[in-house]
């Protein structure tokens, strides 16, 4: 897999560093490219947007939001993070909304500047990665469990590979695209 950039900048959050290293250490096939910290200069409601990771290959285009630390959501749907000092801060939006809006902004830019209609022609989607918490069994209309990855990946890299496989299958079914060829899923080995 090609990775752009090849190494992280010093200011990358620790949580993104963890995921970057996991991506670097999985075999996913030479046709895939991983972009880290992809800036989006045209966003519907943000002055600037950024996607933590974008994975592009034969299985489709997938955007990932990484939320490290102690992330939680209260009964009113308000998201919080707890930093190392134990201080709680409210997030401006849910990690799922961040991943979704970033992916839509990227798709719009590809259509506008490259004349590529990803939504029409290709499999695409987004996922949210929580590398520091166990997600549990929370159910919501905001997300499907197939798009969530949690701390289990730190203990077993095979769990991360399975997460990527499930994400590709989930969106292949959801987007009503032809099933991704088995060889493509096997490339993530």
């Amino acid at each position: 897999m090609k990775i752009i950039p090849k190494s992280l900048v010093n200011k990358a959050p620790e949580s993104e560093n963890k995921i970057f290293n996991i991506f670097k250490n999985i075999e996913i096939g030479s046709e895939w490219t991983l972009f880290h910290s992809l800036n989006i200069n045209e966003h519907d409601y943000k002055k600037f947007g950024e996607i933590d990771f974008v994975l592009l290959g034969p299985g489709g285009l997938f955007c990932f939001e990484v939320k490290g630390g102690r992330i939680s959501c209260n009964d009113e749907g308000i998201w919080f993070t707890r930093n190392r000092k134990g201080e709680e801060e409210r997030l401006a939006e849910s990690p799922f909304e961040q991943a979704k809006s970033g992916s839509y902004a990227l798709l719009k830019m590809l259509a506008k500047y490259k004349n590529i209609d990803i939504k029409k022609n290709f499999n695409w989607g987004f996922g949210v990665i929580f590398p520091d918490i166990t997600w549990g069994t929370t159910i919501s209309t905001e997300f499907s469990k197939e798009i969530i990855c949690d701390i289990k990946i730190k203990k077993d890299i095979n769990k991360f590979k399975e997460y990527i496989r499930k994400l590709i299958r989930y969106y292949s079914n959801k987007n009503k695209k032809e099933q991704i060829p088995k060889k493509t899923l096997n490339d993530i080995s």
Side-chain angles (χ1 to χ4, degrees), residues 73-80 90:
C73 181
N74 68 17
D75 292 339
E76 297 168 0
I78 299 171
W79 287 83
F80 296 91
R90 182 179 175 166

Side-chain angles (χ1 to χ4, degrees), residues 42-164:
E42 295 182 17
H43 195 284
D44 285 346
Y45 59 88
K46 294 179 182 178
K47 190 172 187 176
F48 303 102
E50 182 257 354
I51 303 171
D52 293 336
F53 292 96
V54 176
L55 183 62
L56 174 64
L61 181 142
F62 304 95
C63 300
F64 298 92
E65 176 64 26
V66 177
K67 280 293 180 220
R70 302 289 163 215
I71 301 296
S72 62
C73 181
N74 68 17
D75 292 339
E76 297 168 0
I78 299 171
W79 287 83
F80 296 91
T81 183
R82 189 172 298 276
N83 64 25
R84 291 181 187 168
K85 297 177 186 176
E87 301 164 334
E88 191 171 75
E89 299 172 21
R90 182 179 175 166
L91 298 177
E93 65 184 330
S94 90
F96 299 96
E97 185 56 36
Q98 275 186 279
K100 181 172 75 173
S101 70
S103 66
Y104 276 109
L106 177 59
L107 296 178
K108 280 176 132 179
M109 287 180 62
L110 288 170
K112 181 177 179 180
Y113 296 110
K114 299 292 185 184
N115 202 26
I116 301 170
D117 189 350
I118 299 285
K119 290 190 279 188
K120 181 178 179 184
N121 299 309
F122 301 99
N123 192 30
W124 69 278
F126 60 90
V128 177
I129 303 172
F130 300 107
D132 300 322
I133 63 168
T134 300
W135 182 250
T137 58
T138 303
I139 297 175
S140 171
T141 58
E142 186 179 12
F143 52 82
S144 297
K145 67 179 188 259
E146 291 86 356
I147 71 170
I148 301 168
C149 186
D150 68 11
I151 195 170
K152 295 175 195 113
I153 60 170
K154 286 179 15 182
K155 297 176 179 137
D156 184 358
I157 198 165
N158 290 320
K159 299 251 186 226
F160 189 67
K161 290 187 275 191
E162 185 57 30
Y163 166 66
I164 299 296

